Amino acid sequence: MASEVNTDFLHNKKLDSIAADILRPVGITQGFIVWMGFLGISLLACIYAYYIQFDKGLIVTGLRDYISWGMYIANFVFFVATSLVGMLISSVLGLIGLKWVKPIARIAEIIAVAFAAIAGLVIVSDMGRPERLPYVFLYGRIQSPIIWDVTVVTTYLVISTLLYFLPLIPDLAISKGRMGHTPKWLQQTYEILSVKWNHTPKQYQILMKAVRIMLILIIPTAFAIHTVTSWLFAVTLRPGWDSSIFGPYFLTGAFVAGSAAVVILMYFVRVNYKLDKYLTTHHFDMMGKLLVLVSIVYLYFNINEYLVPGFKMKTAEAIHLHDLFVGEYALMFWSVQLLGLVIPIILLLFKFFRKPFPMFVISVFVLVAAWFKRFIIVVPTQDHPFLPIQRVPHEWMVYHPTIVESAITMGTIILAVIIITILVKFFPVIPIWEVAEEQNELDSKTKE
Amino acid sequence: MIKRYFSLLLIVLISLRLSAQVWVVPAENETRKSPFAFDDASRKAGSDLYYTNCKSCHGEPGKNNAIPLVPPPPDMASAKMQGNSDGAMQYKLISGRGPMPSFKNTLSATDLWRVISFVRSFNPSYKQEIASASAAAGTSAQNVKIVLSWLKETNQVQASISGVKDKVNQPLAGAEVKLFAKRYFGYLLVDEPRTTDALGKAVFNFPKDLPGDSTGYVQLVASLTNDVAFGETKADTSLVIGVPTYRPPLTEKRAMWNVVSKAPIWLLLSYTIAVFGAWGFIIYVLLQIRAIYRAGGRKEND
């Protein structure tokens, strides 16, 4: 994002066609009603599951004394991880000056906002007494990484929301007069949210400065959020968690999950909204290269994380690794590593697989594997506490997620999809003014 | 398949390892016998001792619920346990091995036999053999008393022992005494066991650097080695002879594990600076949105 904005694009005729393309899907359509209806009904079932848990307590889950962090915490780590991509794309790549990220940046921010917003709810789902949530703030200890986590997740959500909203303001102003086909309340919402934007250089100057501050601030915040999430595990002595590389290991894993989520949403937007003019094969090709890069870095951390303890085979670590490599979790472990990491890396090295549809399929595998990878990180460690497990019922020693638990987890994913759907459907999903500005630059260059 | 092979190999290796480590009991210990007959009183006392000291590992006798250690702690009712002679049991209790601790300084000689008395109650075919009177040699006495005092000049602790012998209360000569200092857990043997002189006195060299409580008190316990002959006699005296030691509780200073009001300064500073820094920028940017709004408003008014 340049700090100086040339507002000539407002007078370029191409702005009309760009705005028309991007605003065409905005509004309530039949497809939207069907899709939201489906999500709404599914969510109701999940809310009923949560009602059961709220009523009876965590006993309705598979969680017991020894394995007290299960699907919910794995899900939380997954949500935090996926939300980090907002920082990677709009901030890191944007600040470097890569032009191709401009149409994707808002998609990345939508993912960031939706996943960060639900991450907090996921934690509440893991609480047997959710009405005690205020106690975290009333009696929380500043020494506990849980307090740090609550702090950074909140901060990250606010910054991500601002990074979604700020560049949207000029778009809302551009859209105002071109929304004839949409309901009145939506037009009024645009009117309010566009905060009297009328494209003055002064407004652009203020906006660019504000965006720039947020783009820089989100980098340490995003690093903090996932590093702290990794510390929730790494500050213990337990095999599989007691690792000094857990911070970067989580961070790089987050970029893999997030990039895959962005590709999936890009694909939906491109196909359903017929925006292939703006989300071109080039964008998918570049996202493919990005995904390979972050996956290779993540693979590197995986090798470190498993090879080093695997070489030493300290007693407790050996039991844990044995469980993962050839034991109870071997099928899940190797599926995740091969289908979600190694094979995608190999495939994405070829140009053919970086085309939109193959990229979409690969990203689905990567994202699903990313969820199970969090499960692999969270659960198996607790199978082997350092204290002897004596004379306890069998169900305390093994963890099997229940249907209620799975439904609640599914509910959080549905909620994130609902937020994404609303943001994608009611607001321009591709930054109109930034695309128009770039187009204007291209035009003036060709004229010269 | 590989898994099965490995577990088989593991079982073979473990059993080889165990069979290579038979607990050898010296011949003289093997044949030792209790100086008193096991009766209901000794079994009751032994039961209490067992449930306090042994059950946590060996489990309840006859229920095979010992904890899984290597080597496995045998059940008291098992043939393996009952195959030991009384002397062998006593030896194993005194010496300990691997995860099995030594109870030499924790239980008195009489208490050890009481535990064995309790263990034997799970063996219906057990017939007790009592040590012959000569084995429990040495003088015997009643109403034995031990008095501990501190000899300041030489930094020694003196034990004066007297008892009723031949119906006369008199100093006990030739009795072996052990001196212990009480620790948080168990007892620390002070100096060597000493034998009383003709005046019934035994003197122990007391170390100069033994930590006491905050005022220097050390709780001393003296007992007779042959408590079978003299009855169970213990002196339990606190003397100001240790180095006054103040151990601040772990929650006294600022620390990661302490309450929030005692959090480390560096942490409070970093957390506060980070939170205020980030939220300062966020509030600034929120104000910028207001600035954008005002800038737009002005143009309309113009």
Side-chain angles (χ1 to χ4, degrees):
Chain A
M1 254 174 227
S3 50
E4 282 294 307
V5 178
N6 182 357
T7 52
D8 287 351
F9 72 86
L10 288 166
H11 313 295
N12 192 321
K13 277 178 189 151
K14 277 182 180 159
L15 176 65
D16 288 329
S17 74
I18 293 169
D21 283 344
I22 293 170
L23 290 172
R24 195 188 322 111
V26 172
I28 296 174
T29 53
Q30 211 171 2
F32 172 75
I33 293 168
V34 171
W35 173 239
M36 283 301 273
F38 166 72
L39 290 177
I41 291 166
S42 317
L43 186 64
L44 278 181
C46 302
I47 289 173
Y48 178 67
Y50 186 71
Y51 167 75
I52 297 174
Q53 180 182 306
F54 187 77
D55 187 41
K56 302 228 162 73
L58 286 177
I59 195 75
V60 299
T61 69
L63 302 168
R64 293 294 181 272
D65 286 31
Y66 296 102
I67 296 156
S68 54
W69 280 4
M71 200 184 240
Y72 293 149
I73 298 295
N75 197 35
F76 167 71
V77 179
F78 171 78
F79 268 77
V80 173
T82 310
S83 76
L84 281 211
V85 75
M87 175 277 267
L88 177 68
I89 291 188
S90 42
S91 186
V92 175
L93 302 185
L95 285 174
I96 289 169
L98 296 180
K99 289 239 163 75
W100 64 268
V101 300
K102 278 190 180 175
I104 307 175
R106 192 166 293 159
I107 292 181
E109 285 309 334
I110 290 173
I111 300 268
V113 170
F115 278 81
I118 303 302
L121 267 187
V122 176
I123 282 294
V124 177
S125 76
D126 192 51
M127 297 176 70
R129 297 287 299 270
E131 79 278 10
R132 290 183 181 172
L133 186 64
Y135 291 9
V136 175
F137 307 99
L138 293 175
Y139 310 113
R141 290 169 60 253
I142 205 173
Q143 296 98 316
S144 162
I146 288 177
I147 290 295
W148 312 343
D149 211 42
V150 170
T151 314
V152 282
V153 170
T154 320
T155 311
Y156 183 78
L157 174 60
V158 172
I159 300 178
S160 291
T161 311
L162 282 171
L163 272 179
Y164 171 75
F165 175 63
L166 290 171
L168 189 67
I169 296 173
D171 273 7
L172 295 171
I174 293 173
S175 309
K176 269 193 292 188
R178 307 167 205 262
M179 301 270 291
H181 60 295
T182 57
K184 196 133 197 161
W185 60 265
L186 189 61
Q187 295 180 27
Q188 280 164 349
T189 314
Y190 273 48
E191 182 64 47
I192 296 165
L193 289 180
S194 61
V195 291
K196 288 195 182 168
W197 183 271
N198 43 20
H199 304 284
T200 62
K202 166 102 177 157
Q203 284 181 319
Y204 271 108
Q205 200 191 340
I206 299 171
L207 180 78
M208 297 322 275
K209 192 172 156 197
V211 168
R212 211 174 172 77
I213 290 172
M214 288 294 99
L215 282 180
I216 294 168
L217 185 62
I218 201 170
I219 298 175
T221 313
F223 269 70
I225 179 179
H226 217 36
T227 306
V228 169
T229 306
S230 84
W231 286 349
L232 298 178
F233 302 92
V235 293
T236 72
L237 286 167
R238 305 189 66 165
W241 293 352
D242 178 16
S243 158
S244 58
I245 64 159
F246 242 41
Y249 175 56
F250 269 45
L251 209 60
T252 50
F255 294 150
V256 175
S259 301
V262 166
V263 171
I264 293 169
L265 187 54
M266 274 168 71
Y267 184 79
F268 271 112
V269 170
R270 176 183 150 101
V271 172
N272 289 334
Y273 294 179
K274 309 205 169 39
L275 290 176
D276 33 0
K277 224 195 287 178
Y278 305 95
L279 298 171
T280 62
T281 46
H282 174 66
H283 291 113
F284 280 86
D285 189 58
M286 295 312 279
M287 278 306 290
K289 285 176 180 166
L290 178 68
L291 188 52
V292 168
L293 174 70
V294 291
S295 298
I296 288 174
V297 178
Y298 189 44
L299 180 67
Y300 164 76
F301 275 104
N302 267 277
I303 293 168
N304 270 277
E305 180 59 24
Y306 291 113
L307 191 136
V308 175
F311 192 92
K312 293 180 279 193
M313 280 291 186
K314 290 184 277 186
T315 321
E317 296 276 357
I319 295 169
H320 174 69
L321 291 176
H322 188 273
D323 260 11
L324 297 188
F325 293 167
V326 289
E328 207 185 325
Y329 295 96
L331 181 66
M332 200 194 279
F333 179 80
W334 290 112
S335 307
V336 161
Q337 300 291 45
L338 294 175
L339 297 175
L341 198 56
V342 176
I343 295 174
I345 289 175
I346 296 169
L347 292 182
L348 288 172
L349 290 174
F350 299 96
K351 198 167 175 69
F352 169 78
F353 289 100
R354 295 198 301 268
K355 289 187 186 313
F357 184 69
M359 273 288 290
F360 166 70
V361 175
I362 290 170
S363 296
V364 169
F365 271 91
V366 170
L367 194 64
V368 172
W371 193 93
F372 282 99
K373 179 66 194 265
R374 297 334 184 256
F375 193 90
I376 291 270
I377 290 172
V378 173
V379 174
T381 288
Q382 298 167 85
D383 279 351
H384 302 287
F386 282 122
L387 293 166
I389 303 182
Q390 289 178 72
R391 291 191 277 285
V392 296
H394 182 253
E395 56 161 273
W396 290 29
M397 293 191 264
V398 288
Y399 170 64
H400 293 300
T402 60
I403 292 174
V404 172
E405 206 175 350
S406 313
I408 292 170
T409 301
M410 191 48 79
T412 59
I413 294 170
I414 292 172
L415 269 174
V417 174
I418 288 177
I419 294 180
I420 292 170
T421 307
I422 289 173
L423 293 182
V424 164
K425 195 62 193 161
F426 288 148
F427 298 99
V429 71
I430 288 167
I432 303 171
W433 68 275
E434 281 180 283
V435 172
E437 188 199 358
E438 205 179 310
Q439 188 64 45
N440 194 53
E441 254 173 62
L442 280 176
D443 287 357
S444 55
K445 265 182 200 161
T446 43
K447 268 176 206 162
E448 283 160 17
Chain B
M1 193 61 217
I2 294 174
K3 214 173 139 186
R4 199 175 290 173
Y5 168 78
F6 270 115
S7 34
L8 192 72
L9 191 73
L10 201 68
I11 291 167
V12 170
L13 279 175
I14 288 174
S15 43
L16 278 177
R17 212 177 111 87
L18 286 186
S19 59
Q21 287 189 335
V22 172
W23 201 345
V24 182
V25 179
E28 61 157 331
N29 292 86
E30 186 77 43
T31 53
R32 271 198 191 150
K33 295 175 185 79
S34 162
F36 58 87
F38 297 161
D39 54 17
D40 284 347
S42 74
R43 280 188 279 273
K44 172 73 187 69
S47 168
D48 291 346
L49 290 164
Y50 180 86
Y51 279 94
T52 313
N53 297 293
C54 321
K55 192 213 128 197
S56 57
C57 289
H58 286 276
E60 294 150 281
K63 292 195 176 166
N64 282 310
N65 54 8
I67 61 167
L69 296 174
V70 178
D75 189 277
M76 289 306 125
S78 66
K80 185 181 174 186
M81 175 55 67
Q82 296 294 341
N84 285 297
S85 69
D86 291 353
M89 281 190 198
Q90 188 218 28
Y91 173 78
K92 289 176 181 180
L93 281 168
I94 289 173
S95 51
R97 182 183 72 153
M100 163 87 181
S102 157
F103 286 88
K104 192 181 171 192
N105 292 337
T106 313
L107 298 180
S108 71
T110 312
D111 281 346
L112 289 174
W113 288 118
R114 283 172 175 151
V115 172
I116 295 166
S117 151
F118 170 69
V119 170
R120 286 304 187 199
S121 68
F122 296 94
N123 183 358
S125 56
Y126 171 74
K127 290 269 181 298
Q128 193 193 1
E129 288 177 50
I130 303 174
S132 53
S134 63
T139 45
S140 72
Q142 284 87 45
N143 287 336
V144 176
K145 281 202 178 74
I146 308 176
V147 175
L148 294 174
S149 55
W150 185 34
L151 311 175
K152 198 177 177 183
E153 295 75 35
T154 50
N155 195 40
Q156 287 172 318
V157 172
Q158 178 180 269
S160 313
I161 304 173
S162 59
V164 179
K165 211 169 167 185
D166 306 326
K167 293 179 180 165
V168 185
N169 196 9
Q170 53 181 298
L172 272 184
E176 196 186 54
V177 198
K178 285 181 193 164
L179 182 69
F180 300 97
K182 198 170 186 319
R183 301 196 285 204
Y184 279 122
F185 178 80
Y187 298 89
L188 172 76
L189 185 66
V190 178
D191 204 1
E192 300 290 309
R194 303 278 177 191
T195 308
T196 49
D197 57 15
L199 297 169
K201 291 188 192 305
V203 173
F204 299 88
N205 294 318
F206 198 79
K208 279 186 179 144
D209 53 354
L210 195 81
D213 67 6
S214 54
T215 41
Y217 271 107
V218 175
Q219 195 179 350
L220 292 171
V221 173
S223 64
L224 295 171
T225 310
N226 194 352
D227 63 354
V228 173
F230 296 116
E232 282 182 289
T233 310
K234 254 189 191 170
D236 203 332
T237 314
S238 284
L239 297 174
V240 192
I241 52 175
V243 180
T245 312
Y246 174 65
R247 291 188 196 288
L250 288 173
T251 50
E252 194 185 75
K253 289 183 180 167
R254 290 183 177 275
M256 286 303 270
W257 55 81
N258 218 329
V259 290
V260 72
S261 58
K262 286 183 178 176
I265 296 282
W266 66 264
L267 184 68
L268 285 169
L269 277 179
S270 347
Y271 182 86
T272 317
I273 290 171
V275 169
F276 276 88
W279 281 88
F281 281 117
I282 289 173
I283 289 164
Y284 175 76
V285 165
L286 288 173
L287 291 175
Q288 293 308 298
I289 295 177
R290 201 179 63 163
I292 290 174
Y293 180 82
R294 286 189 171 169
R298 254 204 306 279
K299 199 185 171 186
E300 267 175 14
N301 293 342
D302 286 349

